[in-house]
Amino acid sequence: MLTPAVSVTSAVGGIALTVPRLSSNIGSISIGFLVALFLLQRFGTAKVAYLFSPVAFIWIILLLVTGIINITSYPGIFRAFDPSRAVMLFVRTKNYDLLAGVLLALTGCEAMFANLGQFNRLSIQLSFGFLVYPALVIAYLGQGAKLITDGDAVIANVFYASIPGGAGKPLYWIVYVVSILATLVASQAIITATFSLFQQVINLRSLPPVRMRYTSDAIQGQIYIPSVNWILCVGTIVFVLIFKDLAKMTNAYGFAVATVMFVTTTLITIQIPYVKHLPWVLAVAWFLFFGFLDGLFWGASLRKVPHGAWVPLLVGVVATAFMFFWSWAQGLADQFDGANRRNLRHFISEATEPILQSPVTRRNLRLSPNNGLDVTVQDSIDLPTPDVEEEDYVSNSGTTPHPREESKLYLDTGDTKVLLSRMSTMAIFHKLSSGKGVPHTFYGFLKQWPTLPRVVVFLTVRIMPVAHVEKEDRYRVTKVRSLPGFYGATYMKGYRDKFNVDVSAIVELITVLELRGVESQEDATSIVDEIITAGRSATHIVPHYHVIARRLIIFGAPIINWIRRLLIEDVYRSIAYVFPETVTWLQAADEIIHVGVTAEI
């Protein structure tokens, strides 16, 4: 929220040098640009993205040219490369707060790197190392030269006042227009990166699921999240309205950027030994050097908390606390889901034993369904195993006999046994957490509707530690050994992949699995026809938890139970009703059935 507010307001503020009477309208003009920017988000960035690179390129070239011209007024500015000058400045002034101002020269870097996921490493290294970084350094050297030669004349607005030719000249207006466009491009990068970040955090179940729209068929990372967009819009406008004084806004901005830099350095320190598996001494050396530098800037910006920096601090604390709360509550719900799994044979029984055929192993069987996916089932597949009961399931690489005759199944409710008729449909029961056994919703579904679909799939979703999973690697299917028509499946998706269960791919794998134990071509054709017919009317069944707080018997139980009841029943339950798990799914609403479950967590 701060990057668009500060960037656009600073760029628009240049109008005050040529038209002073508009100084009081800078905030209103900035809000107009920002509202227009957020209104355009629903159309996606694909249609206007081709303008971003030319604008950024022209902006960098203008900075380079103006910097070179300004340096000619005082070539001695190159002595600024001597680090002893910076040390002597603080020794002479003994003013640690100056670092908070120096930090503002680094702000904006987060916009430069916020949305680089669509570029490869070499393009980033070449563009930044040979154009962007040199241009920025020369631009700052040029502004420093003008401060030395014309300090009193340019100190009010160093950037615009140091433009060669002076205010109101042709170059001034060119720079003014391009600067506004450049800040809008930078703001767009931050907004797009925020959408992507929210998608990843939601996939990790650390925030409530919200509706997402994918705005590009070619680039999967281009998404639009309406609720996040309008929260950013309102927050940005509020910042512009609250911070009438641009100095206070820059204090808040500087503190936010300094905090991001220090946190990033800390996370990289953790990543070095645990992700990169490099020696701990390298991680310590990294943190001692970069952590020291970032700590100096963060400490200086921390002193600005009473002068505006309290706003991002408050926003960050609230956001972090909510993410911890949501992860905790979701963890309790997942624990309930895992603890209430049941074994199929404990409540479903067969009236007669089916007649079995001799197993025939069919290796490397290829099918080409309507979706064009070419699947090969080999002896072993290096993929995660679905969370199923080992005694009930067989692997898709096995040769278990296929039941030739379908037996009658009964639901055991404890007192009576209810005959379960079979329908020529397919039901996918979603297991929202890992663990053995079938989900609690399956038993609840059968009690309300005592009938069984021809194909029953218990689906577990796993978020893999990669951005995207290839289409042919997304599904692993196993078959229930003791009951016909039951299967376990694992859906593996990257943390940036959209949630979209491909029913045709699951049907294909089930068909391949069933055909491996069939001898006659007639039986094979009948089985394939039954499964494909059932797959045409697939329904997704998910739990709808009505959570209640479990009473704890511990020291201080009355207070702890009151707090837990407030957080779980009043806060978490209310938010979970508004933002159900299925809101991010691409499946149609009429393909989803919610089964109510009372969950004591």
Side-chain angles (χ1 to χ4, degrees):
M1 291 183 283
L2 278 169
T3 297
V6 173
S7 301
V8 175
T9 303
S10 300
V12 173
I15 195 70
L17 292 181
T18 55
V19 189
R21 68 177 181 274
L22 293 179
S23 299
S24 59
N25 297 323
I26 291 176
S28 302
I29 298 173
S30 301
I31 290 174
F33 280 113
L34 291 170
V35 170
L37 178 65
F38 283 104
L39 286 174
L40 291 175
Q41 296 306 310
R42 63 188 301 269
F43 300 105
T45 58
K47 297 180 180 179
V48 294
Y50 65 91
L51 294 175
F52 291 174
S53 293
V55 169
F57 179 76
I58 294 172
W59 172 243
I60 296 298
I61 294 300
L62 284 175
L63 292 179
L64 180 64
V65 171
T66 56
I68 292 174
I69 295 174
N70 288 333
I71 287 174
T72 59
S73 65
Y74 188 80
I77 192 64
F78 283 104
R79 286 198 292 267
F81 283 108
D82 182 4
S84 65
R85 299 277 176 169
V87 175
M88 292 305 298
L89 171 66
F90 292 102
V91 171
R92 186 174 67 251
T93 62
K94 296 182 173 57
N95 188 358
Y96 178 52
D97 291 346
L98 287 176
L99 266 182
V102 175
L103 175 66
L104 296 179
L106 303 177
T107 55
C109 61
E110 77 285 350
M112 195 171 295
F113 291 99
N115 199 27
L116 292 182
Q118 299 173 13
F119 302 94
N120 58 50
R121 178 183 299 180
L122 182 60
S123 65
I124 297 171
Q125 291 173 336
L126 291 176
S127 60
F128 188 79
F130 291 96
L131 178 62
V132 177
Y133 186 68
L136 293 175
V137 171
I138 289 175
Y140 283 129
L141 290 175
Q143 292 175 26
K146 294 298 290 184
L147 282 170
I148 293 174
T149 58
D150 305 311
D152 294 336
V154 301
I155 191 64
N157 193 324
V158 179
F159 175 75
Y160 281 113
S162 63
I163 295 176
K169 301 301 181 180
L171 182 59
Y172 176 89
W173 290 113
I174 293 175
V175 172
Y176 180 74
V177 172
V178 176
S179 67
I180 294 178
L181 295 177
T183 55
L184 292 176
V185 170
S187 301
Q188 177 63 59
I190 289 292
I191 295 170
T192 304
T194 301
F195 291 157
S196 179
L197 178 63
F198 266 82
Q199 181 195 30
Q200 296 173 37
V201 175
I202 290 171
N203 285 340
L204 295 175
R205 299 169 67 83
S206 294
L207 282 177
V210 293
R211 185 170 61 90
M212 304 180 190
R213 286 178 48 196
Y214 293 82
T215 59
S216 174
D217 295 330
I219 303 176
Q220 192 169 13
Q222 290 187 2
I223 61 173
Y224 168 63
I225 307 179
S227 56
V228 175
N229 181 68
W230 297 119
I231 290 174
L232 287 176
C233 180
V234 172
T236 303
I237 293 173
V238 169
F239 276 133
V240 174
L241 294 175
I242 289 179
F243 291 107
K244 300 292 185 181
D245 185 359
L246 188 59
K248 290 184 177 181
M249 187 185 294
T250 54
N251 287 336
Y253 185 35
F255 176 78
V257 173
T259 303
V260 169
M261 292 167 59
F262 189 77
V263 170
T264 302
T265 298
T266 304
L267 292 177
I268 293 176
T269 302
I270 299 173
Q271 181 206 34
I272 289 173
Y274 287 106
V275 179
K276 299 296 185 181
H277 303 292
L278 297 174
W280 267 98
V281 64
L282 184 61
V284 173
W286 165 274
F287 186 77
L288 288 178
F289 181 74
F290 288 101
F292 173 74
L293 295 178
D294 290 339
L296 287 176
F297 284 113
W298 188 77
S301 63
L302 188 63
R303 296 166 64 95
K304 300 296 183 181
V305 168
H307 307 288
W310 62 271
V311 176
L313 178 61
L314 178 63
V315 172
V317 169
V318 171
T320 303
F322 181 79
M323 290 177 63
F324 274 111
F325 158 72
W326 192 262
S327 299
W328 167 74
Q330 283 282 83
L332 293 179
D334 291 343
Q335 288 177 14
F336 172 86
D337 183 78
N340 286 274
R341 298 291 176 80
R342 304 186 65 173
N343 190 305
L344 273 174
R345 292 177 299 179
H346 292 170
F347 60 92
I348 292 184
S349 58
E350 291 180 285
T352 58
E353 291 293 330
I355 300 174
L356 301 179
Q357 287 183 313
S358 300
V360 176
T361 302
R362 297 169 181 253
R363 305 293 183 186
N364 299 326
L365 178 61
R366 295 179 179 268
L367 295 178
S368 297
N370 295 331
N371 61 2
L373 182 65
D374 190 21
V375 175
T376 302
V377 179
Q378 299 177 346
D379 289 342
S380 63
I381 302 176
D382 188 18
L383 291 173
T385 303
D387 296 318
V388 296
E389 295 286 352
E390 297 296 338
E391 67 270 20
D392 279 348
Y393 285 73
V394 294
S395 170
N396 54 2
S397 61
T399 58
T400 299
H402 177 76
R404 187 176 180 182
E405 295 181 359
E406 187 173 355
S407 58
K408 295 183 179 181
L409 300 178
Y410 291 83
L411 173 65
D412 188 356
T413 62
D415 299 330
T416 60
K417 288 188 176 182
V418 180
L419 176 64
L420 298 173
S421 59
R422 301 300 288 260
M423 299 183 299
S424 183
T425 59
M426 177 179 180
I428 301 176
F429 290 86
H430 289 255
K431 301 166 70 174
L432 300 182
S433 63
S434 59
K436 303 298 182 181
V438 299
H440 189 273
T441 49
F442 179 62
Y443 182 72
F445 174 83
L446 292 182
K447 288 183 67 177
Q448 296 183 48
W449 298 284
T451 184
L452 275 176
R454 169 62 181 85
V455 178
V456 177
V457 178
F458 302 113
L459 181 70
T460 298
V461 180
R462 287 192 177 181
I463 308 297
M464 308 303 289
V466 294
H468 304 288
V469 175
E470 296 297 329
K471 188 175 182 179
E472 60 271 15
D473 297 330
R474 289 180 182 173
Y475 300 97
R476 173 76 185 270
V477 176
T478 57
K479 179 177 180 292
V480 175
R481 177 180 301 169
S482 56
L483 296 174
F486 286 76
Y487 309 88
T490 299
Y491 171 31
M492 290 153 286
K493 63 185 293 291
Y495 56 82
R496 294 192 64 185
D497 285 333
K498 54 189 176 181
F499 191 98
N500 184 22
V501 179
D502 190 349
V503 175
S504 61
I506 296 177
V507 168
E508 177 184 12
L509 291 176
I510 292 175
T511 306
V512 172
L513 187 60
E514 290 288 1
L515 286 177
R516 301 184 67 179
V518 178
E519 262 185 349
S520 86
Q521 183 63 35
E522 182 180 351
D523 288 345
T525 302
S526 175
I527 291 171
V528 170
D529 290 342
E530 287 182 16
I531 295 175
I532 292 178
T533 301
R536 290 176 183 151
S537 56
T539 301
H540 299 265
I541 300 174
V542 296
H544 181 73
Y545 287 133
H546 177 82
V547 295
I548 57 176
R550 180 169 56 90
R551 294 181 61 84
L552 302 179
I553 304 176
I554 56 175
F555 178 75
I559 297 177
I560 295 176
N561 286 329
W562 179 83
I563 295 175
R564 292 183 83 254
R565 186 167 61 252
L566 174 67
L567 294 177
I568 293 174
E569 298 181 8
D570 295 339
V571 180
Y572 175 73
R573 186 167 68 191
S574 300
I575 298 176
Y577 280 170
V578 178
F579 302 100
E581 292 280 348
T582 56
V583 73
T584 61
W585 295 10
L586 296 187
Q587 273 71 31
D590 56 0
E591 297 177 357
I592 302 173
I593 295 177
H594 295 267
V595 177
V597 176
T598 300
E600 187 177 9
I601 62 176

